[in-house]
PDB file of all heavy atoms in Angstrom:
ATOM      1  N   VAL A  37      -3.461   0.956  11.391  1.00 94.00           N
ATOM      2  CA  VAL A  37      -2.298   1.735  10.943  1.00 94.00           C
ATOM      3  C   VAL A  37      -2.042   2.917  11.869  1.00 94.00           C
ATOM      4  O   VAL A  37      -2.844   3.228  12.756  1.00 94.00           O
ATOM      5  CB  VAL A  37      -2.493   2.257   9.495  1.00 94.00           C
ATOM      6  CG1 VAL A  37      -2.411   1.150   8.491  1.00 94.00           C
ATOM      7  CG2 VAL A  37      -3.811   3.021   9.362  1.00 94.00           C
ATOM      8  N   GLY A  38      -0.931   3.577  11.632  1.00 92.00           N
ATOM      9  CA  GLY A  38      -0.550   4.733  12.450  1.00 92.00           C
ATOM     10  C   GLY A  38       0.958   4.819  12.459  1.00 92.00           C
ATOM     11  O   GLY A  38       1.635   3.863  12.059  1.00 92.00           O
ATOM     12  N   GLY A  39       1.437   5.955  12.908  1.00 87.00           N
ATOM     13  CA  GLY A  39       2.887   6.160  12.921  1.00 87.00           C
ATOM     14  C   GLY A  39       3.590   5.240  13.901  1.00 87.00           C
ATOM     15  O   GLY A  39       2.966   4.428  14.598  1.00 87.00           O
ATOM     16  N   PHE A  40       4.870   5.431  13.981  1.00 84.00           N
ATOM     17  CA  PHE A  40       5.733   4.635  14.848  1.00 84.00           C
ATOM     18  C   PHE A  40       5.342   4.819  16.334  1.00 84.00           C
ATOM     19  O   PHE A  40       5.158   5.937  16.793  1.00 84.00           O
ATOM     20  CB  PHE A  40       7.174   5.104  14.605  1.00 84.00           C
ATOM     21  CG  PHE A  40       8.167   4.587  15.581  1.00 84.00           C
ATOM     22  CD1 PHE A  40       8.486   3.237  15.567  1.00 84.00           C
ATOM     23  CD2 PHE A  40       8.804   5.422  16.484  1.00 84.00           C
ATOM     24  CE1 PHE A  40       9.421   2.745  16.471  1.00 84.00           C
ATOM     25  CE2 PHE A  40       9.738   4.932  17.375  1.00 84.00           C
ATOM     26  CZ  PHE A  40      10.057   3.596  17.361  1.00 84.00           C
ATOM     27  N   VAL A  42       2.632   4.204  18.089  1.00 93.00           N
ATOM     28  CA  VAL A  42       1.305   4.695  18.497  1.00 93.00           C
ATOM     29  C   VAL A  42       0.462   3.623  19.175  1.00 93.00           C
ATOM     30  O   VAL A  42      -0.607   3.921  19.709  1.00 93.00           O
ATOM     31  CB  VAL A  42       0.503   5.301  17.311  1.00 93.00           C
ATOM     32  CG1 VAL A  42       1.155   6.574  16.805  1.00 93.00           C
ATOM     33  CG2 VAL A  42       0.334   4.288  16.192  1.00 93.00           C
ATOM     34  N   GLY A 106       3.559   2.580   9.522  1.00 74.00           N
ATOM     35  CA  GLY A 106       3.238   3.726   8.682  1.00 74.00           C
ATOM     36  C   GLY A 106       4.465   4.453   8.143  1.00 74.00           C
ATOM     37  O   GLY A 106       4.344   5.370   7.356  1.00 74.00           O
ATOM     38  N   VAL A 126      -7.001   4.097  12.460  1.00 97.00           N
ATOM     39  CA  VAL A 126      -5.779   4.892  12.528  1.00 97.00           C
ATOM     40  C   VAL A 126      -5.548   5.223  13.997  1.00 97.00           C
ATOM     41  O   VAL A 126      -6.387   5.893  14.626  1.00 97.00           O
ATOM     42  CB  VAL A 126      -5.893   6.215  11.731  1.00 97.00           C
ATOM     43  CG1 VAL A 126      -4.626   7.049  11.902  1.00 97.00           C
ATOM     44  CG2 VAL A 126      -6.156   5.939  10.256  1.00 97.00           C
ATOM     45  N   LEU A 127      -4.448   4.773  14.537  1.00 96.00           N
ATOM     46  CA  LEU A 127      -4.122   5.103  15.925  1.00 96.00           C
ATOM     47  C   LEU A 127      -3.303   6.389  15.924  1.00 96.00           C
ATOM     48  O   LEU A 127      -2.425   6.568  15.092  1.00 96.00           O
ATOM     49  CB  LEU A 127      -3.293   3.975  16.547  1.00 96.00           C
ATOM     50  CG  LEU A 127      -4.083   2.799  17.119  1.00 96.00           C
ATOM     51  CD1 LEU A 127      -3.160   1.613  17.398  1.00 96.00           C
ATOM     52  CD2 LEU A 127      -4.803   3.216  18.407  1.00 96.00           C
ATOM     53  N   VAL A 128      -3.635   7.269  16.863  1.00 96.00           N
ATOM     54  CA  VAL A 128      -2.830   8.477  17.001  1.00 96.00           C
ATOM     55  C   VAL A 128      -2.399   8.681  18.451  1.00 96.00           C
ATOM     56  O   VAL A 128      -3.058   8.228  19.377  1.00 96.00           O
ATOM     57  CB  VAL A 128      -3.565   9.763  16.489  1.00 96.00           C
ATOM     58  CG1 VAL A 128      -3.930   9.648  15.010  1.00 96.00           C
ATOM     59  CG2 VAL A 128      -4.793  10.083  17.315  1.00 96.00           C
ATOM     60  N   ASP A 129      -1.279   9.360  18.592  1.00 95.00           N
ATOM     61  CA  ASP A 129      -0.728   9.745  19.881  1.00 95.00           C
ATOM     62  C   ASP A 129      -0.747  11.284  19.854  1.00 95.00           C
ATOM     63  O   ASP A 129      -0.129  11.890  18.975  1.00 95.00           O
ATOM     64  CB  ASP A 129       0.705   9.186  19.956  1.00 95.00           C
ATOM     65  CG  ASP A 129       1.455   9.640  21.205  1.00 95.00           C
ATOM     66  OD1 ASP A 129       0.972  10.528  21.915  1.00 95.00           O
ATOM     67  OD2 ASP A 129       2.556   9.078  21.442  1.00 95.00           O
ATOM     68  N   ARG A 132       2.285  13.349  19.311  1.00 92.00           N
ATOM     69  CA  ARG A 132       2.980  13.313  18.013  1.00 92.00           C
ATOM     70  C   ARG A 132       1.950  13.048  16.907  1.00 92.00           C
ATOM     71  O   ARG A 132       2.030  12.058  16.203  1.00 92.00           O
ATOM     72  CB  ARG A 132       4.028  12.180  18.029  1.00 92.00           C
ATOM     73  CG  ARG A 132       5.033  12.242  19.175  1.00 92.00           C
ATOM     74  CD  ARG A 132       5.926  11.008  19.206  1.00 92.00           C
ATOM     75  NE  ARG A 132       5.155   9.809  19.385  1.00 92.00           N
ATOM     76  CZ  ARG A 132       5.208   8.749  18.571  1.00 92.00           C
ATOM     77  NH1 ARG A 132       6.006   8.743  17.532  1.00 92.00           N
ATOM     78  NH2 ARG A 132       4.444   7.684  18.795  1.00 92.00           N
ATOM     79  N   LEU A 133       1.009  13.931  16.800  1.00 92.00           N
ATOM     80  CA  LEU A 133      -0.053  13.715  15.800  1.00 92.00           C
ATOM     81  C   LEU A 133       0.518  13.567  14.403  1.00 92.00           C
ATOM     82  O   LEU A 133       0.004  12.809  13.586  1.00 92.00           O
ATOM     83  CB  LEU A 133      -0.990  14.923  15.804  1.00 92.00           C
ATOM     84  CG  LEU A 133      -2.107  14.978  16.809  1.00 92.00           C
ATOM     85  CD1 LEU A 133      -2.965  16.199  16.560  1.00 92.00           C
ATOM     86  CD2 LEU A 133      -2.947  13.707  16.779  1.00 92.00           C
ATOM     87  N   GLU A 134       1.606  14.300  14.137  1.00 89.00           N
ATOM     88  CA  GLU A 134       2.140  14.364  12.781  1.00 89.00           C
ATOM     89  C   GLU A 134       2.614  13.002  12.267  1.00 89.00           C
ATOM     90  O   GLU A 134       2.637  12.775  11.066  1.00 89.00           O
ATOM     91  CB  GLU A 134       3.277  15.398  12.676  1.00 89.00           C
ATOM     92  CG  GLU A 134       4.553  15.095  13.462  1.00 89.00           C
ATOM     93  CD  GLU A 134       4.417  15.247  14.975  1.00 89.00           C
ATOM     94  OE1 GLU A 134       3.375  15.742  15.461  1.00 89.00           O
ATOM     95  OE2 GLU A 134       5.365  14.860  15.689  1.00 89.00           O
ATOM     96  N   VAL A 135       2.928  12.053  13.199  1.00 86.00           N
ATOM     97  CA  VAL A 135       3.402  10.760  12.691  1.00 86.00           C
ATOM     98  C   VAL A 135       2.274   9.939  12.034  1.00 86.00           C
ATOM     99  O   VAL A 135       2.530   8.959  11.367  1.00 86.00           O
ATOM    100  CB  VAL A 135       4.107   9.880  13.787  1.00 86.00           C
ATOM    101  CG1 VAL A 135       5.313  10.598  14.375  1.00 86.00           C
ATOM    102  CG2 VAL A 135       3.135   9.451  14.872  1.00 86.00           C
ATOM    103  N   SER A 136       1.041  10.376  12.238  1.00 86.00           N
ATOM    104  CA  SER A 136      -0.076   9.653  11.611  1.00 86.00           C
ATOM    105  C   SER A 136      -0.671  10.404  10.414  1.00 86.00           C
ATOM    106  O   SER A 136      -1.615   9.925   9.789  1.00 86.00           O
ATOM    107  CB  SER A 136      -1.151   9.323  12.644  1.00 86.00           C
ATOM    108  OG  SER A 136      -0.638   8.425  13.618  1.00 86.00           O
ATOM    109  N   PHE A 137      -0.114  11.585  10.107  1.00 88.00           N
ATOM    110  CA  PHE A 137      -0.646  12.373   8.971  1.00 88.00           C
ATOM    111  C   PHE A 137      -0.567  11.594   7.660  1.00 88.00           C
ATOM    112  O   PHE A 137      -1.529  11.529   6.911  1.00 88.00           O
ATOM    113  CB  PHE A 137       0.143  13.669   8.782  1.00 88.00           C
ATOM    114  CG  PHE A 137      -0.205  14.761   9.782  1.00 88.00           C
ATOM    115  CD1 PHE A 137       0.611  15.880   9.904  1.00 88.00           C
ATOM    116  CD2 PHE A 137      -1.332  14.670  10.576  1.00 88.00           C
ATOM    117  CE1 PHE A 137       0.303  16.876  10.806  1.00 88.00           C
ATOM    118  CE2 PHE A 137      -1.650  15.669  11.484  1.00 88.00           C
ATOM    119  CZ  PHE A 137      -0.825  16.776  11.594  1.00 88.00           C
ATOM    120  N   ASP A 138       0.612  11.013   7.418  1.00 87.00           N
ATOM    121  CA  ASP A 138       0.837  10.354   6.136  1.00 87.00           C
ATOM    122  C   ASP A 138      -0.121   9.204   5.907  1.00 87.00           C
ATOM    123  O   ASP A 138      -0.662   9.034   4.824  1.00 87.00           O
ATOM    124  CB  ASP A 138       2.266   9.792   6.066  1.00 87.00           C
ATOM    125  CG  ASP A 138       3.231  10.864   5.628  1.00 87.00           C
ATOM    126  OD1 ASP A 138       2.765  11.923   5.173  1.00 87.00           O
ATOM    127  OD2 ASP A 138       4.456  10.635   5.732  1.00 87.00           O
ATOM    128  N   VAL A 139      -0.344   8.402   6.954  1.00 90.00           N
ATOM    129  CA  VAL A 139      -1.215   7.236   6.759  1.00 90.00           C
ATOM    130  C   VAL A 139      -2.648   7.671   6.483  1.00 90.00           C
ATOM    131  O   VAL A 139      -3.351   7.067   5.680  1.00 90.00           O
ATOM    132  CB  VAL A 139      -1.167   6.229   7.942  1.00 90.00           C
ATOM    133  CG1 VAL A 139       0.202   5.613   8.073  1.00 90.00           C
ATOM    134  CG2 VAL A 139      -1.623   6.829   9.232  1.00 90.00           C
ATOM    135  N   ILE A 140      -3.060   8.769   7.110  1.00 93.00           N
ATOM    136  CA  ILE A 140      -4.426   9.279   6.864  1.00 93.00           C
ATOM    137  C   ILE A 140      -4.547   9.693   5.405  1.00 93.00           C
ATOM    138  O   ILE A 140      -5.507   9.313   4.717  1.00 93.00           O
ATOM    139  CB  ILE A 140      -4.766  10.441   7.841  1.00 93.00           C
ATOM    140  CG1 ILE A 140      -4.926   9.870   9.252  1.00 93.00           C
ATOM    141  CG2 ILE A 140      -6.019  11.168   7.375  1.00 93.00           C
ATOM    142  CD1 ILE A 140      -5.217  10.902  10.316  1.00 93.00           C
ATOM    143  N   GLY A 141      -3.555  10.394   4.905  1.00 92.00           N
ATOM    144  CA  GLY A 141      -3.557  10.800   3.503  1.00 92.00           C
ATOM    145  C   GLY A 141      -3.615   9.608   2.575  1.00 92.00           C
ATOM    146  O   GLY A 141      -4.364   9.599   1.591  1.00 92.00           O
ATOM    147  N   ARG A 142      -2.860   8.590   2.925  1.00 89.00           N
ATOM    148  CA  ARG A 142      -2.811   7.408   2.053  1.00 89.00           C
ATOM    149  C   ARG A 142      -4.123   6.636   2.056  1.00 89.00           C
ATOM    150  O   ARG A 142      -4.531   6.082   1.052  1.00 89.00           O
ATOM    151  CB  ARG A 142      -1.660   6.511   2.479  1.00 89.00           C
ATOM    152  CG  ARG A 142      -0.332   7.215   2.313  1.00 89.00           C
ATOM    153  CD  ARG A 142       0.822   6.245   2.258  1.00 89.00           C
ATOM    154  NE  ARG A 142       1.668   6.652   1.151  1.00 89.00           N
ATOM    155  CZ  ARG A 142       2.157   5.824   0.217  1.00 89.00           C
ATOM    156  NH1 ARG A 142       1.874   4.547   0.282  1.00 89.00           N
ATOM    157  NH2 ARG A 142       2.912   6.265  -0.739  1.00 89.00           N
ATOM    158  N   LEU A 143      -4.790   6.597   3.220  1.00 92.00           N
ATOM    159  CA  LEU A 143      -6.098   5.929   3.277  1.00 92.00           C
ATOM    160  C   LEU A 143      -7.103   6.706   2.466  1.00 92.00           C
ATOM    161  O   LEU A 143      -7.928   6.110   1.749  1.00 92.00           O
ATOM    162  CB  LEU A 143      -6.571   5.816   4.740  1.00 92.00           C
ATOM    163  CG  LEU A 143      -5.791   4.879   5.633  1.00 92.00           C
ATOM    164  CD1 LEU A 143      -6.305   4.957   7.054  1.00 92.00           C
ATOM    165  CD2 LEU A 143      -5.885   3.446   5.123  1.00 92.00           C
ATOM    166  N   VAL A 152     -10.596   7.025  13.692  1.00 98.00           N
ATOM    167  CA  VAL A 152      -9.367   7.424  14.370  1.00 98.00           C
ATOM    168  C   VAL A 152      -9.501   7.055  15.836  1.00 98.00           C
ATOM    169  O   VAL A 152     -10.511   7.387  16.472  1.00 98.00           O
ATOM    170  CB  VAL A 152      -9.113   8.941  14.191  1.00 98.00           C
ATOM    171  CG1 VAL A 152      -7.979   9.413  15.090  1.00 98.00           C
ATOM    172  CG2 VAL A 152      -8.805   9.265  12.723  1.00 98.00           C
ATOM    173  N   ALA A 153      -8.500   6.381  16.366  1.00 98.00           N
ATOM    174  CA  ALA A 153      -8.499   6.035  17.795  1.00 98.00           C
ATOM    175  C   ALA A 153      -7.348   6.784  18.460  1.00 98.00           C
ATOM    176  O   ALA A 153      -6.200   6.646  18.054  1.00 98.00           O
ATOM    177  CB  ALA A 153      -8.341   4.529  17.971  1.00 98.00           C
ATOM    178  N   LEU A 172      -6.234  17.141  12.344  1.00 95.00           N
ATOM    179  CA  LEU A 172      -6.022  16.009  11.430  1.00 95.00           C
ATOM    180  C   LEU A 172      -6.716  16.226  10.082  1.00 95.00           C
ATOM    181  O   LEU A 172      -6.630  15.394   9.192  1.00 95.00           O
ATOM    182  CB  LEU A 172      -6.529  14.698  12.071  1.00 95.00           C
ATOM    183  CG  LEU A 172      -5.779  14.230  13.319  1.00 95.00           C
ATOM    184  CD1 LEU A 172      -6.545  13.091  14.007  1.00 95.00           C
ATOM    185  CD2 LEU A 172      -4.357  13.772  12.974  1.00 95.00           C
TER     186      LEU A 172
END
Side-chain angles (χ1 to χ4, degrees):
V37 289
F40 170 69
V42 293
V126 176
L127 276 167
V128 300
D129 174 349
R132 305 174 300 125
L133 276 184
E134 66 287 352
V135 300
S136 295
F137 283 167
D138 276 348
V139 295
I140 289 178
R142 297 200 134 228
L143 291 175
V152 170
L172 294 169

